[in-house]
Amino acid sequence: MAKEIVLSGIRATGNLHLGNYYGALSKFVKMQEDYDSLFFIADLHALTTHPDPKTLHTNVKNIIAEYLAAGVDPDKATIFVQSDVPEISELYLLLNMHVGIGELMRTASFKDKARKALGIKTDKDEEDIEKEIIGNESNKRVNAGLLTYPTLMAVDILIQKANKVPVGKDQEQHLELTRRFARRFNSFYGVDLFPEPENFNFGGNAVKVPGLDGSGKMGKSEGNCIYLIDEEKVLRKKVMRAVTDEGPKVPNSPVSQPVENLFTLMELTSAPEVIQQYRDAYADCSIRYGDLKKQLAEDILKVTLPIRERILDIQNDDVLLARVIKQGADRARERAAKTLSEVREIMGIKKFY
Ligand code: TYM
């Protein structure tokens, strides 16, 4: 029986952090053993925020090195750069004909990015935000690429006919849209071309790795990240500075968000008995956050330091990186070209010569 197809990607916006690792990369490494796997660097998606061209190029290279360092194996999985597959850009145009502006404007990630770009406070209601985005004609900060971001992501997935897409919780709405677009295309043309892809987390729930600042998720734009490439000293310092509270005053107090975040990070990196020890210490008010942070830093370093060393080895091996990227591009293109030609045929775009 043919193996199920797995595809996932990470935007080329900077070094990879623990959120990327636990939400995506660590799953890539496990899934490549049992699935027909494709993992890529989304450099076109990064363009929505206008990165410096030199930095973009370096980021792509660094992330490939980080994939390899974390254990993605080019002999088991296809590793490629999105822009090396021009078929994606063509299918993006074709699929956009079946995507509504309204559904794109209602996407949480779009509203979030548009709000930030326009400096709109989050307490405004939906309609006000939409009016402000549409009404502000001179405002080019909210570009059309940002709006059609979910179409491009759907194309990445559909062009490879992927069944499973390992991503963090923040990407689930995009996956939902991808399924909707797949269904719509199939039913509009009466075909059974695209499978409906689903998230994958080895039977568990989608992951949301919190940041160190006591608030929401770990993210590059939030400045609250632990990077795989962080030096030991830097990493320890970041963890020791993580936001906590004054500590529990009465037994069995509810755990505040910032402290729960540290426990969540422990759940990802520490042994179950260690976590229990600190949970118990919290419950009986004997906990010392300094000790918890030291332990957490230690356990995170056990994961990141070996990866960091490999990144440093691989990062400057231009010959290896070029070979991996070229091999991946060839494989990914061949498969994408096949789907694109099917779509062209289905939509009536046929050659006359
Ligand atoms: P990106 O680059 O923002 O993030 C890459 C992956 O890391 C996960 N992630 C997290 N998971 C848990 N907790 C966090 N704090 C956290 N931060 C990031 C993301 O969920 C994601 O899995 N649109 C995508 C890139 C993309 C893509 C695709 C993914 C483009 N085309 C096709 C899958 C399939 C994105 O911006 O991810």
Side-chain angles (χ1 to χ4, degrees):
M1 213 174 73
K3 287 182 180 174
E4 280 196 298
I5 299 172
V6 170
L7 172 126
S8 192
I10 298 184
R11 256 175 322 151
T13 44
N15 285 316
L16 302 189
H17 51 74
L18 282 189
N20 300 133
Y21 184 71
Y22 286 106
L25 191 53
S26 65
K27 293 188 249 172
F28 300 177
V29 177
K30 285 198 217 155
M31 293 184 87
Q32 67 184 350
E33 304 297 334
D34 299 316
Y35 293 90
D36 176 7
S37 304
L38 301 109
F39 302 118
F40 72 101
I41 316 299
D43 56 345
L44 299 176
H45 275 108
L47 293 174
T48 55
T49 47
H50 306 152
D52 166 58
K54 265 203 200 125
T55 313
L56 176 63
H57 190 69
T58 315
N59 280 344
V60 172
K61 191 173 121 180
N62 288 346
I63 299 179
I64 296 274
E66 292 181 315
Y67 274 22
L68 298 178
V72 182
D73 179 346
D75 292 326
K76 292 181 181 158
T78 297
I79 303 172
F80 68 100
V81 180
Q82 189 182 30
S83 61
D84 274 341
V85 183
E87 288 77 8
I88 291 174
S89 301
E90 185 175 337
L91 187 56
Y92 166 62
L93 183 148
L94 298 176
L95 189 66
N96 257 331
M97 306 305 167
H98 289 281
V99 172
I101 296 176
E103 59 191 340
L104 292 175
M105 285 195 69
R106 281 191 294 275
T107 307
S109 60
F110 172 72
K111 281 193 292 196
D112 215 44
K113 292 218 168 88
R115 237 187 242 134
K116 278 188 190 145
L118 296 170
I120 302 175
K121 293 229 170 57
T122 40
D123 52 13
K124 280 206 175 183
D125 78 23
E126 307 255 306
E127 248 173 65
D128 286 351
I129 294 170
E130 281 170 28
K131 260 192 224 138
E132 202 144 341
I133 294 167
I134 297 172
N136 197 339
E137 204 179 311
S138 64
N139 201 318
K140 300 189 182 57
R141 278 173 295 174
V142 184
N143 60 62
L146 205 53
L147 183 67
T148 53
Y149 186 110
T151 314
L152 184 56
M153 176 157 163
V155 167
D156 293 330
I157 298 167
L158 299 178
I159 206 164
Q160 299 294 349
K161 299 190 181 171
N163 311 98
K164 302 258 188 300
V165 183
V167 283
K169 196 163 177 47
D170 60 318
Q171 297 297 315
E172 287 205 314
Q173 193 181 21
H174 289 151
L175 265 187
E176 184 59 49
L177 282 171
T178 304
R179 285 192 285 274
R180 199 199 289 174
F181 299 161
R183 262 195 311 274
R184 186 179 296 160
F185 185 94
N186 287 345
S187 87
F188 189 89
Y189 293 103
V191 294
D192 187 20
L193 186 72
F194 296 128
E196 289 184 35
E198 50 184 50
N199 197 354
F200 186 80
N201 196 38
F202 295 94
N205 291 332
V207 180
K208 178 181 161 189
V209 179
L212 294 170
D213 52 356
S215 59
K217 68 162 189 165
M218 186 174 287
K220 282 167 219 168
S221 52
E222 325 301 327
N224 61 4
C225 294
I226 294 177
Y227 293 99
L228 296 177
I229 194 146
D230 275 344
E231 274 177 47
E232 185 173 340
K233 243 167 96 184
V234 172
L235 193 148
R236 280 189 204 280
K237 212 181 225 170
K238 282 184 182 174
V239 177
M240 294 314 287
R241 282 194 189 147
V243 175
T244 50
D245 55 22
E246 291 174 345
K249 300 273 182 291
V250 282
N252 302 314
S253 307
V255 183
S256 68
Q257 192 59 53
V259 176
E260 193 53 51
N261 287 354
L262 296 184
F263 276 118
T264 304
L265 287 168
M266 272 199 144
E267 305 277 352
L268 295 165
T269 53
S270 306
E273 58 278 12
V274 172
I275 303 166
Q276 196 54 50
Q277 177 196 327
Y278 284 97
R279 288 262 183 214
D280 292 346
Y282 187 92
D284 68 18
C285 305
S286 66
I287 193 160
R288 289 181 10 195
Y289 290 143
D291 293 346
L292 178 144
K293 288 176 176 176
K294 259 191 216 145
Q295 176 76 47
L296 178 60
E298 212 55 54
D299 292 337
I300 293 175
L301 282 165
K302 276 194 206 126
V303 178
T304 59
L305 274 193
I307 299 178
R308 172 184 151 80
E309 273 165 32
R310 285 195 294 272
I311 297 172
L312 297 178
D313 271 353
I314 298 169
Q315 215 167 32
N316 297 315
D317 191 342
D318 286 345
V319 176
L320 169 72
L321 293 172
R323 182 163 53 76
V324 169
I325 293 171
K326 170 78 171 64
Q327 172 183 312
D330 290 345
R331 286 195 212 150
R333 263 202 94 170
E334 196 185 324
R335 301 166 65 140
K338 193 162 164 284
T339 309
L340 178 62
S341 83
E342 289 173 310
V343 173
R344 284 173 140 254
E345 177 81 25
I346 289 167
M347 293 179 81
I349 317 265
K350 296 183 194 175
K351 290 231 180 323
F352 285 95
Y353 53 88

